[in-house]
Amino acid sequence: MCLESLHIGQQRVFPRSQLQQNVATVTLYRGKTSGIAAHRPQPTSSTSQQPHTNKAVGLTVTAPQPSQPLQTIYPADILAGWRAGPQDPAGRVCNVSELPLMCSSINWASQEVVVGSSDHALYVVDVQSGKKRRTLYTKTAGHAEWVTACQYLPDGRVLSGGMDSLLCLWEANSNRCQQLTAHAAPISAVDVSSAGMAVSASYDKSVRVWDVAGRRASESCCLTGHAAPVLQLACGNGDSVISGDRGGTVISWGLTTGSPSSKLKDAHIAHITALAWHHNVDGSCTDSFFTGGQDGHLKMWDPRSKGCACDIAAHVNAKGKGAVGNIISAGSASGSLVVTAGADGTVKAFDVRSPLQAVSQAKLTDFPYSLAVAGGLALCGCGDGSLLVIDLSSGQTLYALGANKAAVRGVHASRSRLVCMGDDGSVYMYNFA
């Protein structure tokens, strides 16, 4: 349900009567507002000139597992203020586009986030100052359609993919790029393996591997085996990668050999909607992985067994099936739990040791578009612009932030910062103490 809201100065407050239909808890903000408060920042910079102004029409882009160390992307150690709310609930906002932002990647080492837009450009924003650093788009370089995927490489370069089937490898601290033209259809996902290889997935049913060790990238191999468009991609240990397609098939690959190590045909009914590798408490990646489908099921696969190790109807209820939109297994950052968000409007946490016994559940205010975890909290961005902060052990919603004027498509957290982006073309930033 898209909540109507009351606007009080810089605050956006969801009415108590409506929130109680969706989330169970109530918090106080500034000692004035009862009910879960969703605070919306005000712009601090004007919208930049846009490369294109064609209107976006509802493309949903699901981010792959991050390529940076797990402890960097999903912090286990966070400041106490995370449970009470940001220092300034109004936060800061950087307007970069008049059109929706479709994807994002964070580089905490350089304190910047890159966001890809439906206006065909990418924008790099300084998360400390809240100001735009540069635009990745020129008259001679960049995408000709929506940017659907982006990922930082360890050296600060950015790999992006678009609806134009083009991959762009952008130099660090520059708007120059190398254009890679191997794919024949829109790019659905990009990732970078721990072995240093870049990987891209496409609607052309292929997964391609790129050598990015030097300044110029070159294609290492093309992985073929999918009979339907590849929608999901996740890199694991070393040269391991898993991919999932629109027909419900999941393939596990060895990037060095360029051949599949296993093929799970009909792993789910219809689309594969989420993939994630399982991580131990210390953050180390295992050989087991999770898959989520349009059928609402969450499944765990162990290469030591010949079949599915566990299958649970995570987001299926009496009203029907809700696709599993996100899966995160992040060791101690997720409280040693596996966390999912589904189209049934819930975030759920499961204990792998049981196996996959439900531990908690939180009702969302709207459809979930993005998910992250930090210090035992789930951070879920919804279609109504709210960012819900949820205690994973209890399922209690601690508070909500007005982190967008529309869908929140990207969420990133560090020990003391929160960065969000989405359909209103802005990047939102909050600090915690």
Side-chain angles (χ1 to χ4, degrees):
M1 179 177 69
C2 184
L3 301 178
E4 295 179 358
S5 59
L6 304 177
H7 295 268
I8 306 175
Q10 289 189 341
Q11 300 181 15
R12 178 175 183 247
V13 182
F14 288 151
R16 175 192 290 267
S17 61
Q18 293 186 14
L19 277 165
Q20 287 181 333
Q21 298 174 14
N22 295 277
V23 291
T25 58
V26 174
T27 189
L28 298 178
Y29 247 115
R30 297 181 178 176
K32 299 178 182 178
T33 306
S34 62
I36 293 182
H39 298 267
R40 171 152 298 144
Q42 297 299 309
T44 57
S45 61
S46 60
T47 302
S48 60
Q49 183 179 1
Q50 305 306 317
H52 293 270
T53 56
N54 56 300
K55 186 176 181 180
V57 285
L59 174 70
T60 298
V61 179
T62 303
Q65 283 287 98
S67 62
Q68 299 178 58
L70 189 76
Q71 297 88 340
T72 302
I73 297 298
Y74 299 136
D77 178 26
I78 58 174
L79 296 179
W82 266 98
R83 290 185 167 271
Q87 288 178 301
D88 180 5
R92 299 190 312 279
V93 61
C94 180
N95 299 120
V96 295
S97 177
E98 295 178 348
L99 298 180
L101 304 179
M102 310 306 297
C103 56
S104 61
S105 180
I106 196 82
N107 186 343
W108 290 115
S110 60
Q111 292 294 307
E112 66 181 30
V113 63
V114 62
V115 294
S117 174
S118 54
D119 69 11
H120 310 176
L122 294 100
Y123 303 93
V124 178
V125 176
D126 186 316
V127 299
Q128 287 185 310
S129 68
K131 297 180 179 180
K132 187 183 74 171
R133 287 184 176 177
R134 60 189 179 277
T135 299
L136 304 184
Y137 181 91
T138 69
K139 292 181 179 180
T140 58
H143 293 282
E145 293 291 344
W146 297 359
V147 182
T148 54
C150 60
Q151 190 68 259
Y152 272 104
L153 273 63
D155 61 7
R157 288 179 293 171
V158 172
L159 179 65
S160 63
M163 290 283 287
D164 54 4
S165 76
L166 187 68
L167 289 166
C168 291
L169 182 58
W170 301 90
E171 296 180 10
N173 303 313
S174 170
N175 63 355
R176 295 188 297 268
C177 78
Q178 176 189 359
Q179 296 183 332
L180 308 172
T181 58
H183 283 292
I187 308 299
S188 55
V190 296
D191 204 355
V192 182
S193 74
S194 60
M197 293 174 282
V199 189
S200 57
S202 170
Y203 279 75
D204 66 8
K205 307 175 186 179
S206 74
V207 174
R208 293 181 183 269
V209 184
W210 305 88
D211 182 353
V212 292
R215 183 177 178 182
R216 303 284 293 180
S218 60
E219 186 176 0
S220 296
C221 61
C222 178
L223 310 179
T224 58
H226 285 285
V230 184
L231 305 179
Q232 301 294 328
L233 185 69
C235 290
N237 268 331
D239 72 342
S240 298
V241 66
I242 46 178
S243 56
D245 67 35
R246 196 162 61 184
T249 295
V250 174
I251 301 179
S252 177
W253 308 88
L255 300 182
T256 303
T257 62
S259 59
S261 54
S262 67
K263 185 173 183 177
L264 308 172
K265 188 173 176 59
D266 298 324
H268 288 270
I269 299 173
H271 303 8
I272 301 299
T273 53
L275 296 173
W277 290 90
H278 174 46
H279 290 80
N280 292 316
V281 176
D282 62 2
S284 59
C285 185
T286 71
D287 293 329
S288 299
F289 59 87
F290 300 94
T291 62
Q294 200 173 29
D295 55 11
H297 282 244
L298 170 68
K299 297 185 179 183
M300 183 175 184
W301 306 85
D302 188 336
R304 294 169 296 184
S305 61
K306 294 182 179 180
C308 178
C310 189
D311 179 1
I312 183 169
H315 295 279
V316 178
N317 55 40
K319 295 182 179 180
K321 302 173 182 178
V324 181
N326 306 85
I327 306 172
I328 296 177
S329 168
S332 56
S334 57
S336 301
L337 303 171
V338 178
V339 186
T340 64
D344 62 344
T346 62
V347 166
K348 295 185 177 182
F350 302 90
D351 189 339
V352 181
R353 299 165 295 182
S354 296
L356 293 184
Q357 178 180 345
V359 173
S360 67
Q361 172 179 318
K363 182 71 174 176
L364 302 174
T365 57
D366 204 347
F367 184 89
Y369 277 81
S370 55
L371 183 69
V373 296
L377 303 177
L379 317 171
C380 188
C382 298
D384 61 3
S386 63
L387 187 285
L388 272 63
V389 179
I390 302 164
D391 184 298
L392 286 171
S393 61
S394 65
Q396 178 186 13
T397 301
L398 303 180
Y399 57 91
L401 297 169
N404 209 269
K405 295 176 183 177
V408 182
R409 291 186 182 268
V411 181
H412 306 280
S414 72
R415 186 171 185 265
S416 60
R417 296 183 190 276
L418 170 65
V419 178
C420 308
M421 47 69 67
D423 279 3
D424 68 359
S426 298
V427 178
Y428 294 73
M429 293 151 281
Y430 304 89
N431 294 329
F432 297 84

